[in-house]
Structures are given as structure tokens and as C-alpha cells.
């Protein structure tokens, strides 16, 4: 009994001890698990934190009003630009403001909230200038599309107190001459804004530079009078960028031709667009014509794996480079080391545009990839460079050419434009002119992408884009041979270049030039010369639809071809297509239309045919329209006015489309 009573507490004590140990171990395990779990989870909030902080990359100021107030500016120049000219003009106008005692800034409407126009009156003596180019068939440029939509959609917007003026850039050979500029001018007035100077109309078919200079010389005095300010008369050169030279820099941080992101040509990431082109390998580059002096070529670009999609009628944009011989000569004439790494930094630290082109880079890269050195320079370039001519006569002539005097205009027209003098030719023919290369690089316009109508159908060639082009080469009045930048560059894109695959930086620009939704609608295609390009895609697609068992309407191609050996492009392909899908006519286009007028009128008037015209805007497209007016008059029993209205209605309904150039 005693034994039993003495051992019971010991057993209870042991049981208690086990329980405490158990709890301790359990707590320890839980603690370790919690610690492991917490330490593991700790990094996870970091992405969340980054997410909250991400306005940093997009912290670009979208309020132009706040930016103007912050920097003391009272004039803003918006540009709608496709090829860079309107942007160039807007930069010139914003620089001009300084000469008249004001402060201006150039602005891309795509980067700002255009709804703030109603607030511009908060700034004293404020003015909005719009340099608006028209693209395609009366369309806004890509960067002005959102602004155009905003103007159309906001009927209740009150722009009372907004002072504005518009300079419009267009081409008289096109149906919708200066449509975008005219629309912006009219619409701003409708919304209550005050036009302080007349709409300027620039015609690229005539002399766009002269139109701009003449408008600008009348515009500024009108602005001064409106605001009651006196011109300072400061005619000195105003620098926008300052030069920084690098002697010791990591070359991995230097741009070598990329349009946007550094190393984007080496490490390709979709989506591909104007700021991030795809490096497409060239798989075919062949001559199309069998004889003659001209070189007409067909190229095929491989887009496998790029996720790029296109439709028949779209355009392919390519980024060419300048001829290395031209670049080297410029370096020699200016006596500079082209391989020096430099950066041109905007003196206005608040500007969205930090550099005139991607920096840091070398002068060689800038002159090869980024700057237009082949076109005749505009008058503002001559004016700014005049100070670097040691011969007073050269200085006088350069300033005269930049003025709006009749004598100056005539001199610029004959000595620069008609003689096709590019910047190198001007430097060679004016030996006293020795500008610093950094100022020249600041003044020269950007080298632009070139657009070509795609000559293939994605239904037949989903991984390939075809280009058809003629190589441009001609002799100038000074005896020099000028070469088209893009076409000569493409001509030299051999399929394998020393074992390396030749590549072309490219992207797709969507077009309104589309086959009818119903395949059963007849199609009439009119395109002499390289105007055949989009129709190769159309013919391929119509053939493919037929193979799929679709009901395909009559497909007619009027293809002007005067000398079969010299300019009959895609002869084998067209003759094969003629057996399957297309009815082909290959003599002078306008005569063909009149010879086939009965069938043509039947297709258009009774069978809802769609008409497509591609090629030269100045002569061919106009002549085609005249021929169609005459057919409508004769066979439709219409007056000239009725016939004109009839054709215009076809355009409005999307049954008459043009892809033309001048």
C-alpha cells in the first residue's frame, strides 16, 4: 500500500513533465513554421510596392498647362506629323517666339490631355498654334488621331478664351487637300476659340517651304499686334541643345541606330511598331524587269515568330540608312572624328524631348541612322548656318535665301531646290562655310521611315511581306548623281551579306485600302508601274478565296505597260493568275478604261464593283477620275456635275479607294 501511495505522485509528475515538454516542442515547431512562413512571404510585398510606385516611368507630364506655368511659357505649338515636316515647322515656330519676346514649346498632342485647351486662357497672352499635316485620304496623322477624335466627339466643349491659329500641310494633287488642317481650324472656331491669324495652307506639290516662310513672316507681326508686344528684333542664332562629349564610356550604353529602346535591334521584344521595329530577314531580292535602265525590284521579308499580322492593302514601313560614302564625305569636309561619342542635351530641362535623336551615340551613327542628309535643307538651316561662313558674300546669300523677299525666294528655288543640293553639296560649293558638326546635327531633320504598299496577301504568305519598288537615281543640274535613300539601301540588302542574313527594321501601318467584305463583289484595279504592288496581294487573296470554294466576283486589272521587256512586272505570276482569277489588260491605263467602257459601267453601276487606284497622284489618278466621269456622263446619261457627284458618292461609300503618291 505504502509503495503504491509513494509512486503515484512520481507518475503524475512525469506525466506533467511530458506535457510541458510536448508544449515546448510544439511551440518551438510552430514558431519555426511561422518564422519560415513570414520570412518566405516577406519579399512578396515588393512587387506590390513597385506597382504602387509605377507612375515613375509614365510620370511624363500630361498637363501642358502646368508645364507652361512652371516654365513661364505662353505659346504652345502642337504638331500632327507623319513624316517629320510638321514637327520641324512647330520647332521653328516655338524657337521664333523667343525672338518676339515670348516663350514657346513644341508639343505632340498624343502626349498631352487636349481637354486642357479650355484652360489655356489661365496664362496671359497665351496662344495655341497647330501645325497639322494631312495623311492618306484626308486622314489625321497617327499622332493626331486621338486629338481628331476628341474634337469630333466633344460638341459641348467650350473653348472661349482660347487664342489659336493653324498652319496646314498638304498636297494639291490629293483629293482631300489639307483636310486635317482645315477641319481643326473650322472646329476650334465652332467650339468658341478665337482665330488670331488666317489658316495657312502649305502645298508640298508646289513649294511647301516657301508657303510656310511667307505665312510665318506675316503671322508674327499679327501676333505682336494682337498682344500689344514689340518684336525684340533678335535675329541671332538660338541653340536648343548643348553638346557633351564622352572620352570614356561603356559602349553598351551607346545607341547604334536603334529607334527607341537601347539594344532593341539585338534583343527583340513584341509588339513591334514605329518605336520598336522588327528586324526582318530578307529572303528574296530580285530584279523584276528584264531590260531597260531602271531597276525594279521585288523583296521578301520574313516575319516568322514576330506575331506581326497584316492584311492586303496595308503598308510596310522600313527604316533606311544613309549611304556611308555620303557620311564619310561629310566627316571629311567638316574635318571631324565621326566616331566620337556625343550627346546633345536639351537646354530646356522640362522638355519631353531630351535629345534631337537617341543619345549618347556617335556622329557617324547620327548621320547614318538618325538625320536626313540627302534632301535639300530648308531655309531655317541656311539661316542658322550663315554665321559660320567666313566669306561675307556667302553669309549674305544664305540669309537672303532664308528671307521672304522675291529675290531670296528665287535664289533658294534655283540654287537649292532645282539644283537638288543636299547639305554636302552646299558645303562643297561654299568652301568658306565651316559649321560645327554638333550645330549641324541639331538643325538637320530626322531621317524618316519609308512606306511601301505590301505586294502580298497574308492568306497566302502569313510569314512573309513582299515589297515592290523602283530604284531612284538621277543626275542633278550640278552634275552630281543623287540616289534615293531607301530604294538604294533596299537594293543592297542581299539575302546573305558575307554570311550574315541581311535584315530590314520594319513595322506595319494599317490602311483603309481594303478588298470588299463580300468576295462576290467585282473588283476593278488600276495601277501602272509599281502601282501594281497592292494588287498583287489582292489577286493572291481572290485566288485563295476561289480555292476555298467561295463565290468570287469578276476581278479586273488595268495595268499600264508600254514596253513589256522594261516594265512588265510580275509577268509570270500575272499570266498564271489570268488562268484562274483575273482578267488582265496591259496597255496605257486611261485608254483601256475608255475601250472597255460598257463592261466597266455594267460592273460599277449594276454589280456594285469596287474601284481601286494605285500609283501617281499628279497625273494618272486624275486622268483615271476624268475617264470615269466621261463614262458616267456617256453611259449613265448624266451631266458633268451629276457624273462628278456620282464618283464622289462611290468614294464616300468606300467603293472608290486610292493609294497614291506624288
Amino acid at each position: 500500500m505504502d509503495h503504491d501511495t509513494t509512486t503515484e505522485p512520481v507518475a503524475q509528475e512525469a506525466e506533467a513533465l511530458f506535457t510541458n515538454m510536448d508544449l515546448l516542442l510544439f511551440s518551438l515547431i510552430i514558431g519555426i513554421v511561422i518564422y519560415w512562413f513570414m520570412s518566405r512571404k516577406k519579399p512578396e510585398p515588393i512587387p506590390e510596392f513597385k506597382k504602387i510606385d509605377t507612375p515613375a516611368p509614365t510620370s511624363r507630364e500630361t498637363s501642358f498647362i502646368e508645364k507652361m506655368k512652371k516654365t513661364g511659357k505662353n505659346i504652345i505649338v502642337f504638331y500632327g506629323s507623319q513624316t517629320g515636316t510638321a514637327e520641324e515647322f512647330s520647332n521653328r515656330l516655338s524657337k521664333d517666339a523667343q525672338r518676339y519676346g515670348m516663350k514657346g514649346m513644341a508639343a505632340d498632342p498624343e502626349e498631352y490631355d487636349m481637354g486642357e485647351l479650355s484652360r489655356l486662357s489661365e496664362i496671359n497672352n497665351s496662344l495655341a498654334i497647330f501645325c497639322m499635316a494631312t495623311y492618306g485620304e484626308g486622314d489625321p496623322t497617327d499622332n493626331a488621331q486621338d486629338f481628331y477624335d476628341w474634337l469630333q466627339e466633344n460638341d459641348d466643349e467650350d473653348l472661349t478664351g482660347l487664342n489659336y491659329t493653324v498652319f496646314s500641310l498638304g498636297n494639291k494633287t490629293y483629293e482631300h487637300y489639307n483636310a486635317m488642317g482645315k477641319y481643326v481650324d473650322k472646329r476650334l472656331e465652332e467650339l468658341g476659340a478665337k482665330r488670331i491669324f488666317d489658316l495657312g495652307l502649305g502645298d508640298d506639290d508646289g513649294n511647301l517651304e516657301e508657303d510656310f516662310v511667307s505665312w510665318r513672316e506675316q503671322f508674327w507681326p499679327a501676333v505682336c499686334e494682337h498682344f500689344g508686344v514689340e518684336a525684340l528684333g533678335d535675329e541671332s542664332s538660338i541653340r536648343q541643345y548643348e553638346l557633351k562629349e564622352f572620352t570614356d564610356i561603356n559602349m553598351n550604353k551607346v545607341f547604334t541606330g536603334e529607334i527607341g529602346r537601347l539594344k532593341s535591334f539585338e534583343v527583340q521584344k513584341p509588339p513591334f511598331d514605329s518605336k520598336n521595329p522588327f528586324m526582318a530577314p530578307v529572303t528574296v531580292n530580285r530584279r523584276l524587269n528584264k531590260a531597260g535602265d531602271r531597276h525594279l525590284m521585288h523583296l521578301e521579308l520574313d516575319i516568322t515568330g514576330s506575331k506581326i499580322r497584316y492584311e492586303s492593302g496595308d503598308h510596310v514601313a522600313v527604316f533606311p540608312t544613309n549611304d556611308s560614302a555620303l557620311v564619310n564625305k561629310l566627316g571629311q569636309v567638316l574635318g571631324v572624328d565621326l566616331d566620337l561619342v556625343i550627346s546633345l542635351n536639351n537646354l530646356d530641362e522640362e522638355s519631353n524631348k531630351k535629345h534631337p535623336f537617341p543619345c549618347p551615340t556617335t556622329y557617324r551613327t547620327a548621320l547614318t541612322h538618325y538625320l536626313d542628309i540627302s534632301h535639300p535643307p530648308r531655309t531655317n538651316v541656311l539661316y542658322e548656318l550663315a554665321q559660320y561662313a567666313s566669306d561675307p558674300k556667302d553669309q549674305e546669300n544664305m540669309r537672303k535665301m532664308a528671307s521672304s523677299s522675291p529675290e531670296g525666294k528665287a535664289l533658294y528655288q534655283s540654287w537649292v531646290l532645282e539644283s537638288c543640293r543636299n547639305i554636302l553639296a552646299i558645303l562643297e560649293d561654299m568652301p568658306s562655310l565651316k559649321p560645327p558638326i554638333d550645330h549641324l546635327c541639331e538643325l538637320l531633320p530626322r531621317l524618316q521611315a519609308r512606306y511601301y504598299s505590301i505586294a502580298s496577301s497574308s492568306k497566302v504568305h502569313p510569314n512573309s511581306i513582299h515589297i515592290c519598288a523602283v530604284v531612284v537615281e538621277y543626275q542633278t543640274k550640278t552634275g552630281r548623281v543623287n540616289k534615293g535613300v531607301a530604294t538604294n539601301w533596299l537594293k543592297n540588302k542581299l539575302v546573305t551579306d558575307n554570311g550574315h542574313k541581311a535584315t530590314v527594321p520594319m513595322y506595319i501601318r494599317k490602311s483603309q485600302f481594303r478588298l470588299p467584305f463580300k468576295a462576290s463583289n467585282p473588283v476593278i484595279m488600276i495601277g501602272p508601274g509599281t502601282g501594281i504592288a497592292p494588287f498583287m496581294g489582292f489577286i493572291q487573296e481572290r485566288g485563295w478565296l476561289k480555292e476555298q470554294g467561295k463565290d468570287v466576283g469578276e476581278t479586273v486589272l488595268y495595268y499600264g505597260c508600254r514596253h513589256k521587256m522594261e516594265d512588265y512586272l510580275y509577268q509570270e505570276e500575272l499570266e498564271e493568275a489570268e488562268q484562274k482569277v483575273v482578267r488582265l489588260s496591259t496597255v496605257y491605263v486611261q485608254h483601256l478604261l475608255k475601250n472597255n467602257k460598257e463592261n466597266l459601267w455594267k460592273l460599277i453601276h449594276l454589280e456594285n464593283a469596287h474601284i481601286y487606284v494605285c500609283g501617281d497622284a499628279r497625273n494618272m489618278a486624275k486622268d483615271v477620275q476624268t475617264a470615269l466621269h466621261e463614262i458616267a456622263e456617256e453611259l449613265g446619261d448624266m451631266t458633268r456635275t451629276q457624273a462628278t457627284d456620282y464618283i464622289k458618292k462611290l468614294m464616300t461609300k468606300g467603293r472608290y479607294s486610292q493609294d497614291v503618291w506624288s
Side-chain angles (χ1 to χ4, degrees):
M1 287 264 311
D2 287 346
H3 178 73
D4 286 346
T5 54
T6 53
T7 55
E8 194 179 345
V10 174
Q12 285 174 349
E13 211 173 289
E15 194 176 316
L17 184 67
F18 177 77
T19 308
N20 289 342
M21 280 291 289
D22 197 88
L23 283 169
L24 187 66
L25 279 167
F26 186 72
S27 302
L28 192 61
I29 289 163
I30 291 292
I32 290 166
V33 167
I34 290 168
Y35 175 79
W36 177 81
F37 189 77
M38 291 298 286
S39 64
R40 181 176 158 271
K41 292 298 275 184
K42 225 173 231 174
E44 284 202 2
I46 292 171
E48 289 299 311
F49 179 71
K50 273 188 182 168
K51 229 176 207 174
I52 294 163
D53 241 24
T54 46
T58 55
S59 66
R60 177 171 273 190
E61 184 73 75
T62 60
S63 169
F64 62 83
I65 297 292
E66 296 312 316
K67 181 169 278 194
M68 289 173 78
K69 285 179 177 178
K70 193 174 173 183
T71 54
K73 294 187 167 73
N74 65 320
I75 291 179
I76 184 160
V77 194
F78 292 106
Y79 56 86
S81 188
Q82 197 69 32
T83 61
T85 310
E87 181 180 359
E88 195 187 323
F89 285 179
S90 72
N91 283 324
R92 285 162 70 174
L93 289 167
S94 67
K95 212 187 241 192
D96 279 346
Q98 202 169 322
R99 295 194 171 105
Y100 293 91
M102 297 172 248
K103 286 185 83 176
M105 65 179 269
D108 183 343
E110 199 172 34
E111 294 181 353
Y112 293 100
D113 174 9
M114 297 304 283
E116 285 200 324
L117 281 173
S118 59
R119 290 183 55 206
L120 196 60
S121 55
E122 293 173 16
I123 297 168
N124 285 338
N125 284 359
S126 60
L127 169 65
I129 306 170
F130 296 85
C131 286
M132 308 307 291
T134 299
Y135 187 75
E137 293 297 292
D139 304 317
T141 57
D142 291 348
N143 77 312
Q145 183 66 55
D146 290 345
F147 173 47
Y148 175 74
D149 294 342
W150 178 82
L151 283 173
Q152 283 199 310
E153 291 159 11
N154 289 279
D155 287 331
D156 54 351
E157 192 71 39
D158 183 9
L159 297 183
T160 306
L162 169 69
N163 296 309
Y164 81 94
T165 192
V166 179
F167 183 80
S168 187
L169 297 83
N171 188 309
K172 264 200 177 120
T173 58
Y174 288 78
E175 179 78 18
H176 306 279
Y177 174 57
N178 269 320
M180 182 60 182
K182 289 174 182 175
Y183 173 74
V184 170
D185 181 61
K186 177 171 140 290
R187 186 65 173 144
L188 290 173
E189 186 179 46
E190 286 171 358
L191 296 174
K194 183 180 181 182
R195 182 190 299 105
I196 70 153
F197 191 67
D198 295 338
L199 166 70
L201 296 174
D203 177 20
D204 200 28
D205 187 48
N207 186 332
L208 185 60
E209 176 69 14
E210 188 178 307
D211 295 338
F212 176 68
V213 169
S214 301
W215 177 85
R216 171 176 161 251
E217 295 229 341
Q218 296 171 59
F219 163 68
W220 282 114
V223 171
C224 292
E225 190 181 333
H226 180 83
F227 292 127
V229 295
E230 277 187 49
L232 295 180
D234 179 12
E235 294 298 316
S236 63
S237 173
I238 299 164
R239 290 295 299 264
Q240 199 176 341
Y241 298 93
E242 64 178 350
L243 172 68
K244 183 179 181 186
E245 296 179 351
F246 298 89
T247 49
D248 184 24
I249 188 172
N250 179 351
M251 292 308 283
N252 285 325
K253 292 181 179 175
V254 177
F255 283 88
T256 56
E258 303 93 330
I259 309 300
R261 179 174 53 85
L262 189 66
K263 302 293 175 195
S264 62
F265 284 179
E266 293 170 30
V267 183
Q268 294 260 275
K269 293 176 186 172
F272 298 105
D273 54 29
S274 60
K275 293 181 175 65
N276 180 36
F278 176 65
M279 300 298 286
V282 178
T283 55
V284 173
N285 185 348
R286 64 182 170 92
R287 186 171 176 168
L288 286 169
N289 51 327
K290 298 181 176 74
D293 297 331
R294 298 194 308 158
H295 183 98
L296 293 123
M297 57 189 173
H298 169 87
L299 284 92
E300 295 181 16
L301 309 180
D302 185 5
I303 55 169
T304 305
S306 67
K307 296 184 180 170
I308 288 172
R309 300 286 175 267
Y310 75 95
E311 290 181 63
S312 303
D314 282 343
H315 296 129
V316 58
V318 301
F319 288 94
T321 58
N322 289 310
D323 184 354
S324 59
L326 211 59
V327 173
N328 289 332
K329 270 192 190 174
L330 264 173
Q332 287 163 16
V333 168
L334 294 168
V336 293
D337 174 8
L338 292 176
D339 297 309
L340 181 68
V341 179
I342 57 108
S343 184
L344 287 178
N345 304 325
N346 203 320
L347 291 163
D348 177 1
E349 291 178 4
E350 295 297 324
S351 174
N352 280 359
K353 192 174 183 179
K354 302 300 178 193
H355 315 283
F357 43 78
C359 289
T361 190
T362 63
Y363 284 126
R364 185 182 302 283
T365 300
L367 293 169
T368 303
H369 292 268
Y370 300 138
L371 298 170
D372 185 344
I373 59 173
S374 61
H375 276 105
R378 298 196 185 279
T379 57
N380 67 304
V381 177
L382 302 181
Y383 182 85
E384 298 259 354
L385 293 183
Q387 61 186 308
Y388 303 115
S390 54
D391 183 337
K393 187 72 182 159
D394 286 346
Q395 269 200 32
E396 185 193 335
N397 280 333
M398 289 179 80
R399 291 208 168 101
K400 190 187 288 178
M401 285 190 282
S403 75
S404 59
S405 71
E407 192 189 349
K409 284 179 180 178
L411 185 59
Y412 177 72
Q413 181 69 30
S414 63
W415 198 78
V416 177
L417 296 182
E418 288 171 9
S419 301
C420 302
R421 278 186 171 90
N422 57 29
I423 191 63
L424 175 62
I426 286 170
L427 291 168
E428 286 176 336
D429 293 346
M430 276 190 177
S432 90
L433 181 61
K434 298 286 179 191
I437 190 170
D438 62 295
H439 198 178
L440 184 65
C441 288
E442 175 180 323
L443 293 169
L444 289 173
R446 283 291 295 267
L447 182 59
Q448 298 295 324
R450 303 301 203 265
Y451 298 94
Y452 295 95
S453 302
I454 296 176
S456 54
S457 164
S458 59
K459 298 285 191 295
V460 181
H461 300 283
N463 294 316
S464 180
I465 283 172
H466 300 183
I467 294 174
C468 167
V470 58
V471 175
V472 176
E473 191 170 310
Y474 58 94
Q475 191 168 42
T476 71
K477 285 184 177 179
T478 65
R480 294 176 172 91
V481 174
N482 277 8
K483 295 180 176 184
V485 177
T487 54
N488 280 276
W489 169 77
L490 283 171
K491 180 188 174 185
N492 293 318
K493 287 285 174 185
L494 305 174
V495 177
T496 50
D497 196 0
N498 293 330
H500 298 288
K501 271 192 176 177
T503 56
V504 168
M506 53 73 68
Y507 69 95
I508 299 298
R509 189 181 197 277
K510 293 295 174 189
S511 159
Q512 301 300 315
F513 204 69
R514 288 277 180 268
L515 278 168
F517 181 71
K518 282 185 181 175
S520 56
N521 281 101
V523 163
I524 299 161
M525 302 170 290
I526 304 158
T530 55
I532 196 172
F535 302 139
M536 292 307 297
F538 282 12
I539 290 165
Q540 287 172 14
E541 190 145 328
R542 301 279 276 188
W544 179 85
L545 287 166
K546 209 165 190 179
E547 283 171 10
Q548 305 304 305
K550 296 277 192 303
D551 175 20
V552 177
E554 195 167 340
T555 305
V556 185
L557 173 66
Y558 290 100
Y559 173 49
C561 170
R562 286 173 238 183
H563 311 288
K564 280 205 169 187
M565 292 302 285
E566 290 181 27
D567 51 17
Y568 192 172
L569 311 184
Y570 298 108
Q571 184 174 352
E572 292 81 8
E573 291 94 324
L574 288 173
E575 285 173 356
E576 188 185 331
E578 202 171 6
Q579 307 299 316
K580 299 173 185 174
V581 72
V582 71
R583 187 152 58 77
L584 187 62
S585 300
T586 57
V587 286
Y588 201 52
V589 165
Q590 293 83 324
H591 297 164
L592 276 173
L593 297 179
K594 289 172 187 172
N595 293 345
N596 297 323
K597 59 190 174 186
E598 283 82 7
N599 184 53
L600 204 59
W601 181 246
K602 176 176 75 76
L603 291 174
I604 296 167
H605 194 60
L606 300 176
E607 297 181 26
N608 276 333
H610 285 233
I611 305 164
Y612 301 91
V613 181
C614 183
D616 161 46
R618 189 179 285 111
N619 301 309
M620 184 276 299
K622 282 184 177 176
D623 291 347
V624 165
Q625 223 171 93
T626 303
L628 290 171
H629 287 156
E630 288 169 3
I631 291 168
E633 273 182 75
E634 185 187 339
L635 300 178
D637 198 21
M638 300 177 189
T639 63
R640 174 46 64 107
T641 308
Q642 287 171 329
T644 305
D645 288 345
Y646 181 86
I647 299 299
K648 274 193 174 161
K649 271 182 190 162
L650 292 180
M651 289 178 173
T652 310
K653 288 176 183 172
R655 283 183 51 206
Y656 190 132
S657 304
Q658 298 184 97
D659 181 359
V660 292
W661 55 86
S662 63

